[in-house]
Amino acid sequence: MTRPPEIKPLSAPLDVGFDYTRSLGPTLGRFLTDLRRRKVTGIRGSDGRVHVPPLEYDPVTAQRLTDFVDVASTGVVRGWSWIPEPLEGQPLDRPFAWALIQLDGADTSLLHAVDAGSPDRMSTGARVRVRWRDDRVGAITDIECFELSDEPAAGPVEADEVTMVTTPVHLHYTHSASPTEDPFLRGLMEGRLIAQRCPACSKVYFPPRPACPTDGVPTTDQVELPDRGTVTTFCVVNVPFLGQRIPPPYVSAYVLLDGADIAFLHLLLGVAPEDVRMGMRVEAVWKPREEWGPTMQNIDHFKPSGEPDAPFDSYSQHL
């Protein structure tokens, strides 16, 4: 008997990212402002040690620290590791060393990159100096890297104070669909809504779940659902934010598809926000078929279907 060929699960590259913005306060604000001015500043603790980067609170007494100290732009390598193939987002796009660098005048080490060219040139105890970035903005990356030298780096310049910092955070990875996700995503590519049913309690989950949260058993049965349902709850969005498709006000609604036991969140258009209500019957509005892919975005939004409202008892257990 010939075994049927296995279907390779769907997979796709994903990028999860956002820009993290925070206020700095007096300690980190001073440190980053001085970096922008081509200076390195530490802070003295109660035991006399100078910490670089500066700490906000004393590691011995936990008291707030305020005694800032200028340190040199030169220092010594206390430990290092060679990076033959740099990753995205690292300081240099060529092989370099991560190193713990104790700047002259400091008692602690700073982690940064050393542009040595070859691991043969790196050693613990090597003398290095700061290489300043030309376009400094008030960030640790204002130090482009360190380089092998005992000569001082370029001196300080005037620059505006830094009180806020924005750090881009990104995670790139390839996601492979699970046995539950794969038929769900393939169904979406065909304009079908595939759910999973629990064999113990018969609850139907859309989007599908690999296990029933009530009984803890695998949801083994596939169920195709219609693209009509009932609004269980909703929210009128009045606040603008980054990445909005449409300007507010608009409605995000939880839609309980006919035959499902759990509602999911989607966009509701084609009706004034003040006219949306619990129990409203809605239907999916699909994008043009040529735009379909393995994604719930194939459904552009939901709109009122024109049917009479569903009685409260029909969805009261799904709020």
Side-chain angles (χ1 to χ4, degrees):
M1 182 176 180
T2 304
R3 182 179 179 180
E6 293 186 2
I7 300 177
K8 186 177 180 180
L10 293 171
S11 64
L14 295 181
D15 179 11
V16 179
F18 62 94
D19 290 339
Y20 177 66
T21 300
R22 59 161 291 186
S23 57
L24 293 171
T27 302
L28 291 180
R30 168 74 177 269
F31 176 63
L32 295 184
T33 295
D34 283 349
L35 288 184
R36 193 176 193 182
R37 295 170 177 169
R38 292 201 312 217
K39 293 172 53 181
V40 184
T41 301
I43 203 163
R44 195 183 310 277
S46 62
D47 58 0
R49 292 190 305 155
V50 175
H51 301 270
V52 178
L55 303 177
E56 294 180 285
Y57 296 94
D58 194 299
V60 178
T61 66
Q63 298 298 309
R64 189 172 188 84
L65 297 177
T66 57
D67 186 10
F68 292 98
V69 180
D70 291 340
V71 299
S73 60
T74 54
V76 61
V77 173
R78 294 303 185 193
W80 60 279
S81 178
W82 189 253
I83 309 300
E85 298 180 3
L87 302 175
E88 179 186 0
Q90 291 187 326
L92 299 173
D93 59 1
R94 53 189 177 276
F96 69 94
W98 281 121
L100 289 171
I101 300 165
Q102 183 179 346
L103 295 174
D104 299 335
D107 295 289
T108 61
S109 295
L110 171 74
L111 179 66
H112 217 297
V114 177
D115 188 11
S118 165
D120 298 334
R121 300 185 63 201
M122 282 297 298
S123 63
T124 300
R127 296 288 298 173
V128 293
R129 71 175 179 186
V130 169
R131 180 190 297 167
W132 295 108
R133 191 176 298 277
D134 292 333
D135 52 340
R136 295 177 306 282
V137 296
I140 190 63
T141 51
D142 288 351
I143 299 176
E144 182 176 349
C145 62
F146 283 78
E147 54 194 11
L148 298 173
S149 176
D150 201 21
E151 297 295 324
V157 296
E158 292 298 318
D160 293 337
E161 182 181 8
V162 179
T163 59
M164 304 284 290
V165 64
T166 299
T167 304
V169 180
H170 283 275
L171 176 63
H172 305 288
Y173 63 98
T174 298
H175 174 72
S176 295
S178 69
T180 302
E181 292 175 308
D182 193 76
F184 166 66
L185 297 175
R186 292 183 188 276
L188 289 172
M189 295 171 67
E190 301 171 355
R192 301 164 61 217
L193 304 181
I194 305 299
Q196 292 283 117
R197 178 188 288 122
C198 172
C201 66
S202 297
K203 287 184 178 179
V204 174
Y205 295 100
F206 182 89
R209 298 184 179 186
C212 176
T214 302
D215 300 289
V217 299
T219 53
T220 55
D221 303 329
Q222 293 182 11
V223 181
E224 184 170 353
L225 299 177
D227 60 0
R228 288 175 176 255
T230 301
V231 172
T232 59
T233 59
F234 64 93
C235 172
V236 179
V237 179
N238 290 293
V239 180
F241 57 85
L242 185 66
Q244 274 180 320
R245 285 177 48 193
I246 56 176
Y250 60 89
V251 174
S252 292
Y254 275 96
V255 177
L256 181 69
L257 293 178
D258 295 345
D261 288 285
I262 187 170
F264 67 99
L265 189 65
H266 215 296
L267 181 65
L268 179 59
L269 299 177
V271 58
E274 59 268 23
D275 293 332
V276 177
R277 57 200 177 274
M278 296 170 64
M280 174 179 277
R281 294 285 296 165
V282 294
E283 61 185 2
V285 177
W286 295 76
K287 290 182 178 179
R289 190 179 184 91
E290 60 270 17
E291 298 180 19
W292 288 0
T295 169
M296 275 294 289
Q297 294 178 357
N298 293 355
I299 298 178
D300 185 75
H301 61 274
F302 281 80
K303 69 175 184 179
S305 66
E307 302 168 82
D309 289 358
F312 180 71
D313 289 346
S314 68
Y315 61 89
S316 61
Q317 300 302 311
H318 307 290
L319 300 177

